[in-house]
Amino acid sequence: MARSRSASPDPRVTKKPKIDHLTPDDFKNGIFLAPMVRSGTLPTRLFALKHGATLVWGPEMVDKAILHAERVVDPITGVISYNGKSRAMFTTHPIEKPYLIYQIGSSDPELAVQAAKTVMQDVSGIDLNCGCPKPFSTHAGMGAALLTNPDLLCSILTALRKAMPPEITVSAKIRLLPSQEDTLKLVERIVNTGISALTVHCRTRNMRDKDRAMIERLREIVDFVEGMGKGIAVIENGDCLGWNDAQRVRAVTGAHSVMIARAAEANPSCFSPCPLEDIEQTLIPSYLRLSKYFDNHWGLTKFCTAQFKAQHINVKKTDAVAMRHMLAQSKSFDGMYEAVRTWSGKEEFDEIVRSIEANPPRKHRLPPPPPVVVKQKEVADTPETTPPGTQNPEPPGSGAPLLPNTHRTVLPPMATGHDATTPTPGGGVSVVTQ
């Protein structure tokens, strides 16, 4: 729900080391948290930074949703909330600003600029969502609908780059087109708008997470962008499992950096070479403490926590099941007291701050990928590009029908704390009267 505290100046926060503004090089050799509606909350982003994420993307926010929000600063925690009429639309904290990319869903250059100006004091970069296939994004020509309207897509990026100060980066996140030739044409136009980085989700609009990401198609795109000579980073997104898997992805794709979504949703410590195990002891209690301290919406906190999973070493299966049952039955943070024992959220936050200051996330870089030697026969047997002339089967309109998303199980209201399973256009959670 929206925070009721009155607007006030930013409080004095823990002193942070001076960090320069983002540059195109900051998007290279990194491992990033992907934008995820509902899952990419402030607590998740902070735990990702603590455990090694170089940069973090916030969840997609529709341009109109943020325009009339009220910016409110919590005088105790320092949390900055952009409040709508009934909910906090977007929350952040100054500690994450040097690493935070704000993602906009837009189909209008003017509205995109207005939305970016609304939040630019609290972020380091603006990213345009050109890949979300969900109806809440595409119905108004946003998200993946922009892939079939390159003139509009590029006009938005051009307007953002012109309007934003130089210290605010502008980037884009797209999906592959069925035709590699069409994809390269689109990429060329996007790079020429002046962006600092381009993320490519290696699936087409009609593909879903259950479909294997076509990461082998990315190498030609990377080589093409490098050939343009603008120094733009190409970021791979799709099927990377974490830090240890990022080397495989880069070896196949040649991508400058890797972005992680589902694996981070399951375990935000996946950015570390040694991700957390036994999360019922090592992650969930800390996550709940920090979320309560930040006054994070309980239903949203419950949803995120229910996604967490990791290998069990010391935690018994019966204990893990008992905690999951407790979470499913809880209607507020207080219902998890037996698992948490103490609500020391301030201590959890202080530990995150110390970790970020001691090991600045932007210095957490992937090692260079090993050179790939491909035999000529292998190239002939396993082509990495779609054959020339392949037709794009997707209709050009923004209301193209989508394949049903049947691969995920929808959590019941008992587990989520609310009945709405579809994310709101603003990425917030409707108020649930307790």
Side-chain angles (χ1 to χ4, degrees):
M1 59 187 293
R3 297 167 187 263
S4 59
R5 297 182 177 88
S6 60
S8 61
D10 289 3
R12 177 178 297 179
V13 297
T14 305
K15 185 177 179 181
K16 304 184 294 295
K18 180 178 176 59
I19 299 179
D20 294 332
H21 298 300
L22 289 178
T23 69
D25 285 341
D26 287 308
F27 293 92
K28 296 180 180 180
N29 300 314
I31 183 166
F32 307 143
L33 175 68
M36 295 182 288
V37 173
R38 298 182 73 192
S39 296
T41 61
L42 174 59
T44 298
R45 299 196 304 269
L46 291 184
F47 274 98
L49 288 171
K50 176 183 177 181
H51 291 282
T54 314
L55 299 174
V56 293
W57 268 242
E60 177 194 11
M61 289 288 297
V62 174
D63 49 18
K64 292 181 181 179
I66 202 70
L67 293 183
H68 303 292
E70 178 189 11
R71 182 181 184 271
V72 178
V73 180
D74 188 312
I76 298 176
T77 65
V79 169
I80 300 166
S81 298
Y82 286 83
N83 292 337
K85 292 182 178 180
S86 60
R87 63 180 182 271
M89 306 291 294
F90 174 69
T91 59
T92 182
H93 192 282
I95 191 64
E96 72 167 345
K97 178 181 177 179
Y99 322 102
L100 177 62
I101 308 297
Y102 180 87
Q103 190 180 68
I104 290 177
S106 181
S107 59
D108 184 291
E110 183 177 347
L111 289 177
V113 168
Q114 292 179 26
K117 288 182 175 180
T118 300
V119 301
M120 69 180 187
Q121 63 183 311
D122 297 314
V123 305
S124 286
I126 302 295
D127 186 76
L128 178 64
N129 184 326
C130 312
C132 180
K134 300 295 185 181
F136 83 88
S137 185
T138 60
H139 82 284
M142 298 180 293
L146 290 172
L147 297 175
T148 52
N149 194 344
D151 290 339
L152 177 58
L153 190 165
C154 291
S155 69
I156 297 173
L157 291 174
T158 300
L160 285 170
R161 184 61 282 168
K162 182 178 179 181
M164 291 294 98
E167 64 268 20
I168 300 293
T169 63
V170 174
S171 56
K173 186 172 187 288
I174 68 171
R175 285 185 174 231
L176 295 170
L177 296 175
S179 164
Q180 186 80 337
E181 180 182 0
D182 290 343
T183 303
L184 293 174
K185 290 179 180 178
L186 177 63
V187 166
E188 181 178 21
R189 293 192 61 179
I190 291 174
V191 170
N192 283 329
T193 63
I195 60 172
S196 297
L198 174 67
T199 301
V200 180
H201 185 167
C202 296
R203 293 181 174 91
T204 63
R205 172 176 176 169
N206 284 347
M207 293 175 68
R208 292 298 178 263
D209 292 344
K210 64 181 179 180
D211 301 313
R212 183 188 68 83
M214 299 184 291
I215 65 173
E216 65 277 359
R217 281 184 55 181
L218 189 60
R219 179 169 289 277
E220 184 181 13
I221 296 172
V222 174
D223 292 342
F224 178 80
V225 172
E226 289 186 342
M228 294 179 67
K230 296 181 180 291
I232 302 303
V234 178
I235 305 164
E236 188 278 342
N237 177 218
D239 288 354
C240 181
L241 302 179
W243 171 273
N244 296 316
D245 191 43
Q247 284 298 88
R248 172 192 66 86
V249 172
R250 295 186 78 196
V252 172
T253 65
H256 299 98
S257 294
V258 177
M259 178 179 282
I260 303 176
R262 286 182 296 160
E265 181 180 53
N267 188 345
S269 72
C270 70
F271 302 94
S272 169
C274 301
L276 295 176
E277 301 167 333
D278 294 325
I279 58 172
E280 289 79 11
Q281 295 177 349
T282 60
L283 175 62
I284 291 178
S286 298
Y287 190 92
L288 291 173
R289 293 184 192 112
L290 181 68
S291 296
K292 188 176 190 299
Y293 176 64
F294 280 169
D295 194 22
N296 202 51
H297 189 280
W298 166 245
L300 190 56
T301 302
K302 185 174 184 177
F303 171 83
C304 291
T305 307
Q307 313 306 310
F308 295 160
K309 57 184 177 182
Q311 183 178 6
H312 289 142
I313 303 298
N314 297 315
V315 172
K316 297 180 181 179
K317 183 177 179 179
T318 54
D319 294 334
V321 171
M323 175 173 282
R324 299 292 175 172
H325 180 73
M326 183 188 304
L327 179 65
Q329 297 297 317
S330 295
K331 298 182 179 180
S332 68
F333 284 102
D334 293 337
M336 294 299 294
Y337 178 75
E338 289 187 16
V340 175
R341 294 298 180 184
T342 175
W343 293 113
S344 52
K346 176 65 164 55
E347 295 178 10
E348 298 291 347
F349 176 65
D350 289 343
E351 182 180 341
I352 290 174
V353 172
R354 287 192 296 269
S355 178
I356 290 176
E357 291 180 345
N359 302 288
R362 278 163 57 185
K363 293 184 179 180
H364 192 243
R365 302 287 179 159
L366 292 166
V372 179
V373 178
V374 182
K375 297 180 181 180
Q376 187 63 33
K377 184 177 184 299
E378 293 176 342
V379 173
D381 290 344
T382 57
E384 292 188 350
T385 62
T386 302
T390 300
Q391 296 299 310
N392 187 339
E394 301 176 34
S398 62
L402 300 173
L403 295 176
N405 184 7
T406 58
H407 69 284
R408 287 191 178 182
T409 301
V410 178
L411 295 175
M414 179 183 72
T416 62
H418 56 84
D419 291 332
T421 58
T422 302
T424 64
V429 174
S430 301
V431 172
V432 179
T433 304
Q434 298 292 345

